[in-house]
Short mmCIF file of all heavy atoms in Angstrom, two decimals:
data_model
loop_
_atom_site.label_atom_id
_atom_site.label_comp_id
_atom_site.label_asym_id
_atom_site.label_seq_id
_atom_site.Cartn_x
_atom_site.Cartn_y
_atom_site.Cartn_z
N GLY A 64 7.79 10.10 -2.06
CA GLY A 64 7.84 11.52 -2.33
C GLY A 64 6.68 12.08 -3.13
O GLY A 64 6.68 13.25 -3.49
N THR A 65 5.67 11.27 -3.40
CA THR A 65 4.55 11.75 -4.21
C THR A 65 3.46 12.36 -3.34
O THR A 65 3.29 11.95 -2.19
CB THR A 65 3.95 10.62 -5.06
OG1 THR A 65 3.44 9.62 -4.19
CG2 THR A 65 4.97 10.04 -6.01
N PRO A 66 2.69 13.29 -3.89
CA PRO A 66 1.64 13.94 -3.11
C PRO A 66 0.57 12.97 -2.61
O PRO A 66 0.01 13.17 -1.55
CB PRO A 66 1.03 14.95 -4.10
CG PRO A 66 2.07 15.16 -5.13
CD PRO A 66 2.85 13.90 -5.21
N ARG A 67 0.30 11.91 -3.36
CA ARG A 67 -0.78 10.99 -2.97
C ARG A 67 -0.26 9.71 -2.32
O ARG A 67 -0.99 8.75 -2.16
CB ARG A 67 -1.62 10.67 -4.20
CG ARG A 67 -2.28 11.93 -4.75
CD ARG A 67 -3.23 11.68 -5.85
NE ARG A 67 -4.38 10.93 -5.36
CZ ARG A 67 -5.30 10.46 -6.17
NH1 ARG A 67 -5.22 10.66 -7.46
NH2 ARG A 67 -6.33 9.79 -5.70
N SER A 68 0.99 9.69 -1.91
CA SER A 68 1.55 8.46 -1.34
C SER A 68 0.84 8.06 -0.05
O SER A 68 0.65 6.87 0.21
CB SER A 68 3.06 8.60 -1.12
OG SER A 68 3.35 9.59 -0.17
N THR A 69 0.42 9.01 0.75
CA THR A 69 -0.27 8.69 2.00
C THR A 69 -1.61 8.00 1.71
O THR A 69 -1.95 6.99 2.32
CB THR A 69 -0.50 9.96 2.85
OG1 THR A 69 0.77 10.56 3.10
CG2 THR A 69 -1.18 9.64 4.16
N GLU A 70 -2.35 8.55 0.77
CA GLU A 70 -3.64 7.96 0.37
C GLU A 70 -3.43 6.56 -0.22
O GLU A 70 -4.17 5.63 0.08
CB GLU A 70 -4.31 8.87 -0.66
CG GLU A 70 -5.62 8.36 -1.19
CD GLU A 70 -6.19 9.25 -2.28
OE1 GLU A 70 -5.68 10.37 -2.50
OE2 GLU A 70 -7.14 8.80 -2.93
N PHE A 71 -2.40 6.43 -1.04
CA PHE A 71 -2.13 5.14 -1.67
C PHE A 71 -1.70 4.11 -0.63
O PHE A 71 -2.10 2.95 -0.67
CB PHE A 71 -1.06 5.29 -2.75
CG PHE A 71 -1.09 4.18 -3.76
CD1 PHE A 71 -1.83 4.32 -4.91
CD2 PHE A 71 -0.38 3.02 -3.56
CE1 PHE A 71 -1.87 3.30 -5.85
CE2 PHE A 71 -0.40 2.00 -4.48
CZ PHE A 71 -1.16 2.14 -5.64
N ARG A 72 -0.89 4.54 0.32
CA ARG A 72 -0.45 3.62 1.38
C ARG A 72 -1.66 3.16 2.21
O ARG A 72 -1.73 2.00 2.63
CB ARG A 72 0.59 4.28 2.27
CG ARG A 72 1.28 3.28 3.19
CD ARG A 72 2.39 3.91 3.99
NE ARG A 72 3.57 4.17 3.21
CZ ARG A 72 4.52 3.28 2.97
NH1 ARG A 72 4.39 2.05 3.42
NH2 ARG A 72 5.59 3.59 2.29
N ALA A 73 -2.64 4.02 2.44
CA ALA A 73 -3.85 3.64 3.17
C ALA A 73 -4.64 2.59 2.38
O ALA A 73 -5.16 1.63 2.96
CB ALA A 73 -4.72 4.87 3.44
N LEU A 74 -4.71 2.76 1.07
CA LEU A 74 -5.37 1.77 0.22
C LEU A 74 -4.64 0.43 0.28
O LEU A 74 -5.26 -0.63 0.39
CB LEU A 74 -5.44 2.28 -1.23
CG LEU A 74 -6.06 1.33 -2.25
CD1 LEU A 74 -7.50 1.01 -1.88
CD2 LEU A 74 -5.99 1.95 -3.63
N LEU A 75 -3.32 0.47 0.24
CA LEU A 75 -2.54 -0.76 0.35
C LEU A 75 -2.75 -1.42 1.72
O LEU A 75 -2.80 -2.65 1.81
CB LEU A 75 -1.06 -0.48 0.11
CG LEU A 75 -0.67 -0.17 -1.33
CD1 LEU A 75 0.79 0.29 -1.39
CD2 LEU A 75 -0.89 -1.37 -2.23
N ALA A 76 -2.90 -0.63 2.77
CA ALA A 76 -3.15 -1.18 4.10
C ALA A 76 -4.50 -1.90 4.13
O ALA A 76 -4.63 -2.95 4.77
CB ALA A 76 -3.10 -0.07 5.15
N ARG A 77 -5.50 -1.37 3.42
CA ARG A 77 -6.80 -2.06 3.33
C ARG A 77 -6.65 -3.39 2.58
O ARG A 77 -7.23 -4.39 2.97
CB ARG A 77 -7.84 -1.16 2.67
CG ARG A 77 -8.28 -0.01 3.58
CD ARG A 77 -9.54 0.67 3.09
NE ARG A 77 -9.39 1.34 1.80
CZ ARG A 77 -8.92 2.56 1.62
NH1 ARG A 77 -8.51 3.27 2.66
NH2 ARG A 77 -8.85 3.08 0.41
N HIS A 78 -5.85 -3.39 1.53
CA HIS A 78 -5.57 -4.63 0.81
C HIS A 78 -4.84 -5.62 1.71
O HIS A 78 -5.10 -6.83 1.66
CB HIS A 78 -4.72 -4.36 -0.45
CG HIS A 78 -5.53 -4.14 -1.67
ND1 HIS A 78 -5.84 -5.14 -2.53
CD2 HIS A 78 -6.12 -3.03 -2.15
CE1 HIS A 78 -6.57 -4.66 -3.51
NE2 HIS A 78 -6.76 -3.38 -3.30
N GLN A 79 -3.95 -5.11 2.51
CA GLN A 79 -3.19 -5.95 3.42
C GLN A 79 -4.15 -6.63 4.41
O GLN A 79 -4.04 -7.83 4.66
CB GLN A 79 -2.17 -5.10 4.16
CG GLN A 79 -1.15 -5.87 4.94
CD GLN A 79 -0.08 -4.94 5.51
OE1 GLN A 79 -0.33 -3.76 5.76
NE2 GLN A 79 1.10 -5.47 5.71
N ALA A 80 -5.09 -5.88 4.95
CA ALA A 80 -6.05 -6.43 5.90
C ALA A 80 -7.03 -7.40 5.24
O ALA A 80 -7.35 -8.45 5.80
CB ALA A 80 -6.81 -5.29 6.58
N ALA A 81 -7.48 -7.07 4.05
CA ALA A 81 -8.50 -7.89 3.38
C ALA A 81 -7.93 -9.14 2.71
O ALA A 81 -8.54 -10.20 2.75
CB ALA A 81 -9.24 -7.04 2.34
N TYR A 82 -6.77 -9.02 2.09
CA TYR A 82 -6.24 -10.11 1.26
C TYR A 82 -4.88 -10.63 1.71
O TYR A 82 -4.34 -11.54 1.10
CB TYR A 82 -6.12 -9.66 -0.20
CG TYR A 82 -7.37 -9.08 -0.77
CD1 TYR A 82 -7.41 -7.75 -1.18
CD2 TYR A 82 -8.53 -9.83 -0.90
CE1 TYR A 82 -8.56 -7.20 -1.72
CE2 TYR A 82 -9.69 -9.28 -1.42
CZ TYR A 82 -9.69 -7.97 -1.83
OH TYR A 82 -10.83 -7.43 -2.36
N GLY A 83 -4.30 -10.03 2.73
CA GLY A 83 -2.98 -10.46 3.17
C GLY A 83 -1.85 -9.96 2.29
O GLY A 83 -0.76 -10.51 2.28
N THR A 84 -2.10 -8.90 1.53
CA THR A 84 -1.07 -8.32 0.67
C THR A 84 0.14 -7.91 1.50
O THR A 84 0.00 -7.29 2.54
CB THR A 84 -1.63 -7.08 -0.06
OG1 THR A 84 -2.75 -7.48 -0.85
CG2 THR A 84 -0.59 -6.43 -0.95
N GLU A 85 1.32 -8.28 1.02
CA GLU A 85 2.56 -7.88 1.69
C GLU A 85 3.06 -6.58 1.08
O GLU A 85 3.10 -6.44 -0.13
CB GLU A 85 3.64 -8.94 1.50
CG GLU A 85 3.35 -10.26 2.17
CD GLU A 85 4.46 -11.25 1.88
OE1 GLU A 85 5.65 -10.89 2.04
OE2 GLU A 85 4.13 -12.38 1.50
N LEU A 86 3.43 -5.63 1.91
CA LEU A 86 4.03 -4.39 1.45
C LEU A 86 5.54 -4.52 1.60
O LEU A 86 6.03 -4.75 2.70
CB LEU A 86 3.51 -3.19 2.26
CG LEU A 86 2.00 -3.01 2.30
CD1 LEU A 86 1.65 -1.76 3.08
CD2 LEU A 86 1.43 -2.95 0.91
N ARG A 87 6.25 -4.37 0.49
CA ARG A 87 7.69 -4.60 0.47
C ARG A 87 8.40 -3.49 -0.26
O ARG A 87 7.83 -2.84 -1.12
CB ARG A 87 8.00 -5.92 -0.24
CG ARG A 87 7.19 -7.13 0.20
CD ARG A 87 7.63 -7.70 1.48
NE ARG A 87 8.89 -8.37 1.25
CZ ARG A 87 9.74 -8.68 2.20
NH1 ARG A 87 9.48 -8.39 3.43
NH2 ARG A 87 10.88 -9.29 1.92
N SER A 88 9.65 -3.30 0.06
CA SER A 88 10.50 -2.38 -0.69
C SER A 88 10.96 -3.10 -1.96
O SER A 88 11.14 -4.32 -1.95
CB SER A 88 11.71 -1.99 0.14
OG SER A 88 12.69 -1.38 -0.67
N ILE A 89 11.17 -2.37 -3.01
CA ILE A 89 11.68 -2.98 -4.25
C ILE A 89 13.04 -3.63 -4.00
O ILE A 89 13.41 -4.58 -4.68
CB ILE A 89 11.73 -1.95 -5.41
CG1 ILE A 89 12.02 -2.65 -6.74
CG2 ILE A 89 12.72 -0.85 -5.12
CD1 ILE A 89 11.01 -3.66 -7.18
N ASP A 90 13.75 -3.16 -3.00
CA ASP A 90 15.05 -3.75 -2.66
C ASP A 90 14.92 -5.21 -2.21
O ASP A 90 15.89 -5.96 -2.25
CB ASP A 90 15.73 -2.94 -1.55
CG ASP A 90 16.08 -1.53 -2.01
OD1 ASP A 90 16.29 -1.32 -3.22
OD2 ASP A 90 16.13 -0.63 -1.15
#
C-alpha cells in the first residue's frame, strides 16, 4: 500500500536476478 512499493519491488527483482534473493510474504 505504499507509494514507492512498485519501485521497491523492481529493486528487489534486480536483487532476485543478480543474487538469487527470494521474495516472500512475512506469513
Side-chain angles (χ1 to χ4, degrees):
T65 62
R67 298 186 67 187
S68 65
T69 302
E70 178 184 350
F71 202 92
R72 192 175 285 275
L74 178 60
L75 288 172
R77 288 194 296 276
H78 268 266
Q79 191 173 28
Y82 307 117
T84 301
E85 294 178 48
L86 304 182
R87 311 283 288 161
S88 166
I89 190 61
D90 295 333

